[in-house]
Amino acid sequence: MLDRNWASLFATLFLTTSLCAQTWPQYHGPDGSRRVTGAIDAQQLDAADNAPLWVVPTTKGFSSFVVHDGRAYTLEARSDQECCVARDAKTGTELWVRELGKVKYDGGGDAGTPDNSGGDGARGTPRCDPGRGHVFDAQLLPHCLAANDGSVVFQKDLVADHGAVNIRWQNAASPLVEGRAVFVAGGGPGASLLAFDKKSGDLLWKGHDEKITHATPIAATLHGERQVIFYTQAGLVAVRPDNGELRWRASYPFQISSAASPIVDGSLVYVSAGYGVGAAVFEVLRDDEGAFDVQLLWRKPNKLMNHWSTPLVKDGHLYGMFSFKKYGKGPLACVDLRSGETRWSQEGFGPGNCILVGTTLVALSDKGEVVLADASPEGYHELARRDVLKGKCWSQPAFADGKLYVRSTSEGACIALTAPAKPVKNEGR
């Protein structure tokens, strides 16, 4: 008989695996790492008879899909309104649309340019909870919506209530839910970082004097302590989730826009931005009295730039799209996290995004190709490739229940990437 502790562990692992296989509730995936367990059948992507389960038109925007409880959600700009759109995850059928408010995005340009540059529309991605979802719109308004019909549970206005100041191209960060709180950045002096109760909308805490970027905050555990890390114009700011107390900060340059989220692996924290800023890794240390210190491990100005394409980390290596304004050309690459050395680089992806399913990289190029490759530092090994979407893809794929959900500035699609189970032949006795 299993020891009770081992039985509990196996039950937890089974539940976690099941949840990861069935849902992609937030921008960076179930646990914020852009990784899920499971396996992909690469032959399914190549199979001529494996057409997408559905393809639907989407209006302009770079929001990604999230998938939860049988629904797929994203943000779109429809006419002069930013909207949260819910679809049936199996069929793509539109279930409801909630207008969030009038929007006027600035300076995005034309999404149809030959070099795949420019484009405009909704940029944030919803975050799902049981029975409800959270949206942080372009005008710095956090919304909580009922999952069944999109009705408003609560709405906040950071500009009116907390002196918020928006950023060029408006807010693109998605909300972070950790524990009982939903975290956003954007308030004015003394209120630039905020936490609201995810059920009631009550303000839990506010504080700090930071200017926002376009990067979504992350939650991570460093030296046994859970923290929320914001990427601000001054650099990285780590706070306690329960009260906003500063735990550590790391100064880092800002130019125009920083949109990729930081990455934590053990005690190492990776950060990157475009516009010549480049990448760096900090090591976070903690002394015997619990105080944190941060040391720069390496920095590469104007290199390894992640414009908005947050990489993922596996076994001490980063995998992602590293380029700046190399539309349709920038590489998918593997980088040693501790040294910053590039292990391999494959051109032809542009500023798309990738996730990890099991040991398989699932990359969505900015021109709408889905590419499967091995997540190995030994070299680039492509498994399959398929042109899935028209339009431009600056969004992140989502994987749930064996299916990949992708969208562009003009289309959204769902494609099965796991082979159906084979029937068991009963030989009799």
Side-chain angles (χ1 to χ4, degrees), residues 156-421:
K156 302 295 177 179
D157 188 333
L158 299 192
V159 176
D161 299 338
H162 301 286
V165 177
N166 217 328
I167 191 172
R168 182 180 178 185
W169 299 305
Q170 285 79 55
N171 174 60
S174 303
L176 169 69
V177 172
E178 171 76 7
R180 65 178 289 205
V182 54
F183 298 89
V184 294
S192 56
L193 311 181
L194 308 100
F196 297 94
D197 186 285
K198 68 179 183 180
K199 293 183 178 180
S200 67
D202 293 340
L203 180 67
L204 299 176
W205 59 258
K206 63 180 180 180
H208 305 283
D209 297 302
E210 305 291 339
K211 294 180 179 180
I212 64 170
T213 66
H214 295 107
T216 297
I218 65 166
T221 301
L222 285 141
H223 299 285
E225 181 181 297
R226 198 66 172 167
Q227 302 171 6
V228 171
I229 304 173
F230 294 87
Y231 187 4
T232 73
Q233 292 187 26
L236 303 179
V237 180
V239 302
R240 282 182 48 164
D242 58 343
N243 61 12
E245 176 191 343
L246 179 68
R247 304 307 286 143
W248 56 268
R249 66 167 57 240
S251 297
Y252 202 65
F254 173 80
Q255 292 289 338
I256 312 297
S257 173
S258 300
S261 295
I263 295 173
V264 174
D265 186 41
S267 62
L268 303 184
V269 183
Y270 171 85
V271 61
S272 177
Y275 297 96
V277 173
V281 164
F282 295 93
E283 184 161 18
V284 179
L285 308 174
R286 194 177 193 185
D287 64 24
D288 294 338
E289 296 181 354
F292 287 92
D293 187 27
V294 181
Q295 296 181 359
L296 179 65
L297 197 61
W298 58 261
R299 182 174 176 228
K300 295 193 173 186
N302 208 34
K303 296 181 179 179
L304 297 180
M305 288 183 284
N306 301 118
H307 198 176
W308 48 74
S309 309
T310 305
L312 58 91
V313 63
K314 177 182 179 289
D315 298 332
H317 291 86
L318 296 164
Y319 298 88
M321 316 295 194
F322 297 85
S323 66
F324 181 69
K325 294 190 176 183
K326 293 180 67 177
Y327 305 110
K329 301 177 182 178
L332 173 69
C334 172
V335 176
D336 186 290
L337 179 64
R338 182 164 284 275
S339 69
E341 296 303 312
T342 299
R343 296 297 301 269
W344 54 259
S345 180
Q346 182 72 23
E347 296 287 328
F349 289 84
N353 278 281
C354 70
I355 61 174
L356 185 73
V357 180
T359 60
T360 303
L361 286 173
V362 182
L364 177 63
S365 76
D366 69 343
K367 54 190 175 184
E369 290 181 314
V370 173
V371 181
L372 307 181
D374 283 333
S376 168
E378 299 306 314
Y380 178 76
H381 178 214
E382 187 170 306
L383 303 173
R385 178 186 293 255
R386 185 169 187 159
D387 192 356
V388 175
L389 294 172
K390 298 177 183 177
K392 179 176 55 179
C393 306
W394 289 353
S395 53
Q396 183 170 263
F399 186 84
D401 196 23
K403 303 175 186 68
L404 186 72
Y405 297 81
V406 290
R407 71 158 290 188
S408 71
T409 49
S410 59
E411 289 184 328
C414 171
I415 186 168
L417 286 184
T418 54

Side-chain angles (χ1 to χ4, degrees), residues 105-185:
Y105 306 103
D106 55 9
D110 180 8
T113 53
D115 65 354
N116 218 22
S117 62
D120 230 329
R123 300 173 178 90
T125 295
R127 203 292 186 189
C128 302
D129 257 354
R132 63 183 62 197
H134 296 274
V135 176
F136 191 29
D137 73 15
Q139 303 305 316
L140 298 174
L141 274 68
H143 308 256
C144 179
L145 307 177
N148 63 332
D149 61 4
S151 57
V152 177
V153 179
F154 66 79
Q155 177 181 305
K156 302 295 177 179
D157 188 333
L158 299 192
V159 176
D161 299 338
H162 301 286
V165 177
N166 217 328
I167 191 172
R168 182 180 178 185
W169 299 305
Q170 285 79 55
N171 174 60
S174 303
L176 169 69
V177 172
E178 171 76 7
R180 65 178 289 205
V182 54
F183 298 89
V184 294

